[in-house]
Every structure is written in structure tokens, then in C-alpha cells.
Amino acid sequence: MKNIVILISGGGSNMAAIVKAAQREGWADRYGARVAAVISNKAEAKGLKFASDHGIVTELIDHKAYPGREAFDAALAQVIDRYDSPDQPVLVLLAGFMRILTPGFVNRYAGRLVNIHPSLLPAFAGLHTHQRAIDAGCQVAGATVHLVTAELDHGPILAQAVVPLLSGDTADTLAARVLTQEHLIYPQAVAQLLRKMQLPAMAATRYGSA
């Protein structure tokens, strides 16, 4: 069984969308994958209760308890690695995880560390994406699911959704519409990635049985 670990810092609505999709679409049977743990750097993160209520292991690693990013990332990796194995590498999903990860951490999980960002990358990397899109006079905004690299909010794009900007939009109204699309494309992108990760194992099985 391939383990998925999701990192959150708040309400975890994208995490919840992934958990619901995994259950609804039968990821365990279809892809041999399950959401094994949800980890937060904040004790007050409401997403922890949702995960616990759905029978998912939760972990708290308070970043304020560590002297710097490297120490925190090392502790975080130690917990994630409980769900990792050479034959079934863990998939790590960032879902509103409000921490900048060190290059060492990113490299450790290269190719299996995924993030969702509330803009049409490469436009508006970083914070305040919705207001920046409005201020720039954009006609469309959106969201991007991408593999994480050491460069902030960059990396190969897995999925995008386009949301039109409407007359009178505020950052809040635009964010709400973008979020509904995030809840659709993030689970879809993860499922597609799981399918791709299945292919080498399936090919090896066919070759071994030939």
C-alpha cells in the first residue's frame, strides 16, 4: 500500500477534498494508495480534527519548538519517513502548509512532493495572489498543482484551472471561487500521479510473469 502524507497549517479544505476523493473513488483498490497521515505545524489547525474523524493518523510538529528551518525540516522528515519504504515511496502533499521548505527537504522527496498554489503559475508566485491579479487587470486567475522544487512556487505543472475575474471582484470573492476549483483539480492531479507511479510496477510484474 502506497502511503500519502498531507501537510497542513489550517483548515485543510484541500486535504479534506483529497481524503473524500480517495474514499469516493476507491484509491486503495484502484491505485493501492491511502492517505496515511496528516501533519500540521500548528496545534490549532482545524484540519487535524477532520483527519482524525476520518480515521487518519494525525501528527503535530510545532515549528516554533525548533531553532531554525533546517531543524524543523529534519524533524518533519523523520515523521514522514515512518510512512516511507524503498518499494513504496511515500507521496507528500502540501495543502495549505505555510512553511518555506529547505532545499534539502525538497530534494529528499523530489518527484513526489506536490503543492497547490492559488494562481496560474508562473504568474503571481508567492503571497497575495488574488489581489495581485486584480491589481494587474487580469481577465482570468486560477490555481496550479505542481511538483515542488527548491525554487518557491515553481516546478513541473501537473494541473491548472482557470477562473474568470468578474467585475467588482475582491480578493476574497475571487479566492472563494478559485478554492472551489482547487478542490477539484488537486485530487484529480494526485490520482493521475498515482496512475503514473503504478506503471513501472505493472510493467515489472508483466515482465516477471512472461
Side-chain angles (χ1 to χ4, degrees):
M1 185 68 66
K2 181 179 294 299
N3 288 326
I4 300 169
V5 173
I6 305 179
L7 310 185
I8 66 171
S9 292
S13 66
N14 271 307
M15 173 272 295
I18 292 166
V19 169
K20 291 175 182 177
Q23 295 176 342
R24 182 177 65 249
E25 298 169 11
W27 288 7
D29 293 330
R30 186 175 296 183
Y31 308 123
R34 62 167 187 158
V35 179
V38 171
I39 304 173
S40 178
N41 64 311
K42 294 186 176 181
E44 66 272 20
K46 294 181 180 179
L48 291 173
K49 184 178 187 303
F50 175 92
S52 181
D53 287 347
H54 283 73
I56 299 168
V57 174
T58 61
E59 305 268 5
L60 172 65
I61 309 175
D62 188 347
H63 63 277
K64 293 180 289 187
Y66 297 88
R69 286 181 184 167
E70 288 78 8
F72 171 74
D73 282 5
L76 179 60
Q78 189 175 32
V79 174
I80 292 172
D81 286 351
R82 296 178 193 162
Y83 304 94
D84 200 12
S85 65
D87 59 328
Q88 290 281 23
V90 69
L91 189 62
V92 183
L93 310 180
L94 309 180
F97 188 62
M98 304 305 291
R99 297 287 301 170
I100 296 176
L101 298 167
T102 58
F105 183 95
V106 172
N107 291 335
R108 186 186 190 100
Y109 302 105
R112 48 199 177 102
L113 181 61
V114 185
N115 183 45
I116 189 162
H117 183 75
S119 79
L120 292 172
L121 293 175
F124 307 120
L127 300 175
H128 311 300
T129 57
H130 306 300
Q131 188 60 54
R132 289 159 64 196
I134 293 170
D135 293 344
C138 293
Q139 295 185 354
V140 295
T144 303
V145 182
H146 66 99
L147 292 176
V148 178
T149 62
E151 187 174 0
L152 181 65
D153 293 332
H154 284 71
I157 291 173
L158 302 177
Q160 288 186 308
V162 176
V163 175
L165 265 79
L166 305 178
S167 176
D169 253 335
T170 66
D172 288 340
T173 60
L174 178 57
R177 291 208 314 284
V178 169
L179 188 61
T180 64
Q181 295 303 306
E182 292 180 34
H183 294 166
L184 295 176
I185 65 170
Y186 206 172
Q188 291 171 0
V190 174
Q192 185 177 30
L193 190 58
L194 289 169
R195 283 194 293 271
K196 289 180 178 179
M197 295 173 80
Q198 269 187 318
L199 293 177
M202 292 172 64
T205 299
R206 287 197 298 269
Y207 180 81
S209 61

